[in-house]
Structures are given as structure tokens and as C-alpha cells.
Amino acid sequence: MDSHQEKRLKKPKTSTNSTAPIRRSSRVAARQGWRIPPEILLLIMKELRGSKVSLKTAALVCRAWRGPAQVYLFSQIHIRKSQDCSRISKIFQKSPHIASHVNRLVVVQELDVHPMFGSTKDRMSISKVSYLQSRDATKIASILGSSVRELGVSVYPLDKSNFEFLKQMKRVQTLKVDQCDKIPVHILVELIQGMRNITSLHLFGGENKPNAEEYENDRLELLADTTTSNPVSSADPTVDTSPFRPTRLTLDRTEHRFGLLKFLLDSRHLDLGALNDLDLTWMGAGNQSEIVTLDYTLLDRLFRKVGTNLKGLTLGLWGTYPRDQYLEHYTMNPVTSPLRCLVTLESLSIDQGYSFMDPSSCLALLPSIPSSSLTHIQLKILTNVDRFTELTSFFFVFFAQPEEDPARHWKAVDSLLGDEDRFPVLTNLTITVVLEFESQACRDPLCFSCKEDKEMANRHEEEPVGQTSMQIVGLFEGTLTRLKERGLLNVEIEKLDLFSTDLETESGFWKWG
């Protein structure tokens, strides 16, 4: 009887504690992160790096997940205004270890406006001050100077007053500078020279039209200067300073900045013997037409300097109307073209922009470039869903009846690249068509619901975009039959939503490969 009573007494205790294992298992589950190897956790976070929301959520799962999530959450920092500096400074003050995760820093100048009252007149005047001179910015620069490896600069005006912030980044390996047209050459030179670890240099000229008068003055000065390797500023390196050796160089519409090119070509500053990849975009044909005499001297020298070691070349063409004089210069005589020195070239990319899918630029360039080592050729074309639909008949002209004028049509591309004697090691021709569309713009004027429902508008857009994509792929595969049969043809469609909030980060200066 006693034993029976003992069992009855134990029952409530067992019943009361029946949920304890569940509670313990939930707590254990929350701590399971420590059992996952750190390298696996980092791989998981790497997959989530495209979404800050996902990374923030992962950081809150448990303590073991927080560190790996923070590695990618803070791997890239954008500073656009003083509020950003204040916020980042507080984060570093609270968690100093986070600063070591910052690999990429992008600085965009937005002048802060402060009200100031004049002493003589009781009215407000405006003073513009760079936030890079603030106390928080100074703290950030001193903290990040040893961790940042990739630096993006879009600062205007860039002068001595806000230059000190950037000079703190001593260990930068990849430097991207936007709006070089607005930056004095000596400032650019000093910025580059202060970063002795640079291996990847990218200079973007911006959208400003070159001043014809200044261009002509600089051109005449270049002609008169028989020693073009002379120092360009007082910021020249000392005798003990060795030149740095970049492996990748981007020059986007900077060829009219003669002082900058002279600096880059001076072997005392840069040794281009290690350059593997060159991304070159010269000014559009419209801007060329406003200059009396174009000078190709420095670009020719650049090709000759890198010709025996360059592996990859990307050429950007910003409009060929009314006539692209640079294209004519480099293709007029294929035998004597400066491009003939690119004897080690393995990859050629031609970005044709809005070219109406006309391959004439590609056909003009290919005979001027040595093809014995070319393994990969990429053609990139930009078009719009609406424009393609409106000009469908126009596009068909380029794909139909090419025998009338083989030099202008895609059949000529098929015949040229399909020739194994001329392109003996070619393994791939990639045609990338960037198809622009507007996700919020409904095609049906009577569909009022699309204007109110963005999700429905997106679905409404998918059909014409998909149809156009299939049509483009079909046109290329049906025309470039020789390349397709040999397995060399690859047609890619990149859909670009013009209403996307991520558009800025995927274009030009902001795109980090």
C-alpha cells in the first residue's frame, strides 16, 4: 500500500515535468549554432550577403551566428552624409571588433548645408561644409584605415579640405574614383600615390563633355613636350619609392585628361608590366565631333605598353553616330593598328550600348586584334522592351538576307568567328543582351488596377519581357548556325528593371566585380 501511494504521489511530479524536455530542447536548439563549424556558418552567411534584412535576422538567431553574420553585414559600408558618420561612429564605439570586418568603403560627397546669420545683416546665409571634415568622420577614418581594402570615391569637390579622410586608407588594393573630370589631376595623382598596395585601379570620367578649347591647348602642349614622362605635379615619388604594379585598370572616358594619362604611363609611377585586364571606354562619337583634332598618342602608347602581357580587354562604345573617330583610328588599317600588339589576348569584350543590334563595330574591330590566342569573345548590347517591339521589323533586316551586305549583318559574324583557321582556339562567343523594362508601367491603358497594385503590374510585365527574351534568343540561334553547331554560341538575356531600387548598385562605377 505504501508503494502504491508512492507511485500516486510521483505521478503529479512526472506530469508536471513532462514539458521540461521540450523547454530544454528549445533552448538547446537556440544554441545549436556552436555545433556548426565556423567555416560552414560563414558559407551560409555568404549566401545571404545580398540581403541585409536576412543577415540582420541571422545575427539575432544566437550568439554563435552573430559573429559570422556581422562579417558580411558590415563587410561593405556606404557613407553619404554626416548622419551616416554619426551612426557608424556609435557602432564602432559600442562594438570595436566590427571595424575589422569592413573590407569595402564607398564614400559619396553630399555637402551638408548649415544656416548662418551674418553680422551686418540679420538674414540667413548658406555655408556648405563637407561632412568628411567632421569629428565623427575623422574617428572613422583612423579606425578603418588599416582594414579597408576596396575604396570607392565619388566626392565633389575633392580638394585638400576633405582629402585627409581618404588619405587615411593606406592599405587599399582596389580604388574606384568617379567624376574624375571634376578632380584636379594633381589631387588624383596624390590620392593614387598614397595607396602603395593598389592592384586594381578604376577611373571614371563622368558625364561632362570635354572642353574643346582646353583639349586643344593640352594637345598642343603634349606635342611640344618631347619628354612626356616628365612629372605632372609636385607629388612625384621620391627616389626610394618604387612604382606599384596594378593587374587591372579601368579608364572610362578619361582619354582627354592628358596629364592623368601621362602619369599612368610614367614607369616611375606605375609599372604596367603586370597588367592582365584593361577596361577602356572612350568618349562618345557626339563628344568627339566637338573637338577639332583628336589625339591618339597616349592611348596608342598604353596599348603598346601592355600588349605583351594583357589577357583581357573590354572596349566600351558610347554611341557611334555620327562617326566614331577612335574606332576608325584603330580599325582603318588592321595591319598597322596599335591593337596588333595585343599578342597575348585571351578574352575580348565589346560593350556596344544602344547599337540597334548592329554588329558592324564588332566586325570592324576583330580583324585588327590578333586572334591566335583568343578563347572567349563577348558582345554586350543594350535594348528596351518597348523599343524592340516598335522596331521589330528593323531588327529583322539585320538577321534576314545577309548576303546583300555581309559586312553589316550577323551572318558575317557567324562566318568570321566560325573560321577555325582565323580563330583556332575560340571556345565561346557570348552575346549578352541587357533588356530594359519598367516593372511599374502597365502596357494596357485600360488596366487601372495595375496602377494601384504594384505586384499585379509586375506580373503584367513578365509576359512581354519573357516573349521578347525568347524572340531575341531565337533570332541569334537561328542566324549564327555555324557557331551554334560547333557549340560555341551562348546567348544570355539580362533583365534590367528601370524601377529597381538596386539599379544604382549594378551600373558603372557602383558595380563591384
Side-chain angles (χ1 to χ4, degrees):
M1 188 173 177
D2 291 340
S3 62
H4 180 67
Q5 286 179 346
E6 287 177 4
K7 289 180 181 179
R8 290 185 64 186
L9 289 172
K10 288 179 181 179
K11 269 188 179 182
K13 185 177 181 180
T14 304
S15 176
T16 303
N17 294 336
S18 61
T19 58
I22 298 176
R23 288 197 298 269
R24 283 197 301 272
S25 64
S26 63
R27 289 196 298 269
V28 171
R31 295 194 299 269
Q32 287 299 308
W34 69 270
R35 293 186 178 181
I36 302 176
E39 59 272 17
I40 301 299
L41 278 174
L42 282 173
L43 288 174
I44 294 173
M45 301 309 162
K46 186 177 181 180
E47 291 298 315
L48 299 177
R49 67 186 185 277
S51 172
K52 281 199 171 185
V53 175
S54 299
L55 286 172
K56 288 178 180 179
T57 303
L60 297 175
V61 170
C62 62
R63 184 176 298 176
W65 283 47
R66 187 182 306 156
Q70 288 178 343
V71 169
Y72 288 99
L73 188 60
F74 293 97
S75 64
Q76 176 173 302
I77 288 181
H78 285 247
I79 301 179
R80 292 183 173 87
K81 48 191 176 182
S82 57
Q83 289 85 343
D84 294 336
C85 291
S86 177
R87 175 176 53 84
I88 294 170
S89 179
K90 290 178 181 178
I91 292 175
F92 290 163
Q93 186 176 1
K94 184 178 180 180
S95 306
H97 68 281
I98 288 179
S100 62
H101 300 327
V102 181
N103 179 69
R104 178 184 302 160
L105 174 64
V106 178
V107 182
V108 182
Q109 175 70 69
E110 290 184 6
L111 293 176
D112 291 347
V113 179
H114 298 286
M116 296 181 65
F117 292 90
S119 57
T120 56
K121 294 184 179 180
D122 190 15
R123 62 181 184 180
M124 184 167 46
S125 63
I126 301 297
S127 173
K128 295 182 177 180
V129 180
S130 171
Y131 67 81
L132 295 178
Q133 302 175 55
S134 66
R135 182 179 300 177
D136 287 331
T138 302
K139 290 180 181 178
I140 292 173
S142 63
I143 293 172
L144 295 181
S146 60
S147 62
V148 171
R149 296 294 184 271
E150 299 179 359
L151 176 63
V153 180
S154 183
V155 175
Y156 175 76
L158 180 58
D159 51 32
K160 293 291 185 180
S161 65
N162 51 28
F163 190 57
E164 293 301 319
F165 178 95
L166 302 175
K167 287 177 64 176
Q168 298 298 315
M169 310 300 149
K170 297 291 187 180
R171 304 184 69 181
V172 169
Q173 298 172 352
T174 297
L175 174 64
K176 291 192 174 189
V177 184
D178 194 23
Q179 302 187 66
C180 289
D181 281 345
K182 302 177 180 179
I183 303 175
V185 172
H186 71 277
I187 292 289
L188 274 174
V189 168
E190 187 174 350
L191 177 64
I192 295 171
Q193 286 182 334
M195 301 173 181
R196 307 306 306 171
N197 296 322
I198 290 179
T199 58
S200 185
L201 178 61
H202 309 266
L203 304 175
F204 296 82
E207 302 295 334
N208 285 359
K209 292 183 179 181
N211 184 285
E213 184 177 351
E214 290 181 5
Y215 184 96
E216 182 63 15
N217 292 336
D218 291 343
R219 186 184 73 85
L220 294 175
E221 183 179 341
L222 179 64
L223 285 175
D225 187 5
T226 56
T227 57
T228 55
S229 61
N230 278 347
V232 298
S233 75
S234 59
D236 290 323
T238 62
V239 178
D240 297 331
T241 304
S242 59
F244 59 88
R245 308 180 75 221
T247 58
R248 186 174 181 183
L249 177 64
T250 296
L251 299 175
D252 188 311
R253 291 163 289 174
T254 60
E255 72 280 0
H256 60 286
R257 302 297 302 276
F258 293 112
L260 178 60
L261 290 185
K262 285 167 64 177
F263 163 73
L264 297 175
L265 290 169
D266 192 335
S267 57
R268 294 176 298 174
H269 304 304
L270 274 77
D271 178 4
L272 298 180
L275 197 69
N276 289 323
D277 295 285
L278 174 63
D279 191 335
L280 176 64
T281 300
W282 51 65
M283 70 179 80
N287 290 340
Q288 296 174 26
S289 63
E290 298 182 8
I291 296 175
V292 178
T293 305
L294 284 174
D295 192 293
Y296 314 101
T297 306
L298 295 179
L299 282 189
D300 291 352
R301 284 183 56 200
L302 175 63
F303 282 124
R304 294 191 179 99
K305 265 185 173 289
V306 304
T308 56
N309 52 273
L310 197 68
K311 302 297 183 184
L313 173 64
T314 298
L315 291 176
L317 308 178
W318 279 74
T320 56
Y321 180 83
R323 52 186 283 257
D324 191 330
Q325 299 176 58
Y326 280 96
L327 187 63
E328 292 178 0
H329 170 72
Y330 289 111
T331 62
M332 186 176 298
N333 189 339
V335 178
T336 60
S337 172
L339 299 178
R340 296 302 300 175
C341 65
L342 304 178
V343 294
T344 59
L345 200 64
E346 298 175 0
S347 174
L348 172 65
S349 299
I350 303 175
D351 189 346
Q352 299 188 182
Y354 290 102
S355 60
F356 300 103
M357 295 194 178
D358 179 3
S360 57
S361 300
C362 169
L363 289 169
L365 283 164
L366 287 174
S368 301
I369 297 176
S371 57
S372 59
S373 58
L374 271 178
T375 59
H376 177 70
I377 297 176
Q378 181 184 33
L379 306 179
K380 192 169 184 178
I381 303 167
L382 200 63
T383 189
N384 186 277
V385 171
D386 289 333
R387 201 165 192 180
F388 184 87
T389 304
E390 294 169 1
L391 301 176
T392 298
S393 59
F394 173 80
F395 288 122
F396 270 107
V397 172
F398 284 102
F399 290 92
Q401 300 178 349
E403 62 279 359
E404 295 179 2
D405 186 4
R408 293 186 57 202
H409 303 300
W410 285 99
K411 275 294 182 182
V413 176
D414 191 45
S415 177
L416 177 64
L417 298 182
D419 188 343
E420 295 185 50
D421 293 330
R422 298 187 65 175
F423 295 87
V425 294
L426 185 65
T427 60
N428 183 264
L429 168 65
T430 299
I431 299 176
T432 303
V433 179
V434 181
L435 190 59
E436 294 181 346
F437 67 96
E438 299 176 1
S439 60
Q440 296 181 2
C442 179
R443 292 294 181 279
D444 186 358
L446 300 178
C447 184
F448 295 102
S449 58
C450 284
K451 298 178 182 179
E452 300 176 358
D453 190 339
K454 181 180 177 181
E455 184 176 341
M456 186 178 292
N458 292 339
R459 290 198 303 268
H460 204 110
E461 187 63 38
E462 289 177 3
E463 185 176 350
V465 173
Q467 290 177 350
T468 304
S469 300
M470 293 177 61
Q471 187 178 13
I472 292 173
V473 173
L475 286 172
F476 283 115
E477 292 184 346
T479 306
L480 307 178
T481 54
R482 189 174 181 178
L483 293 171
K484 184 180 179 182
E485 289 172 359
R486 292 181 54 195
L488 303 181
L489 180 63
N490 179 33
V491 182
E492 299 177 347
I493 305 295
E494 292 184 4
K495 300 174 182 178
L496 182 62
D497 183 359
L498 297 178
F499 276 93
S500 172
T501 56
D502 297 328
L503 182 60
E504 184 184 70
T505 61
E506 294 298 325
S507 60
F509 164 71
W510 300 109
K511 189 171 184 179
W512 295 78

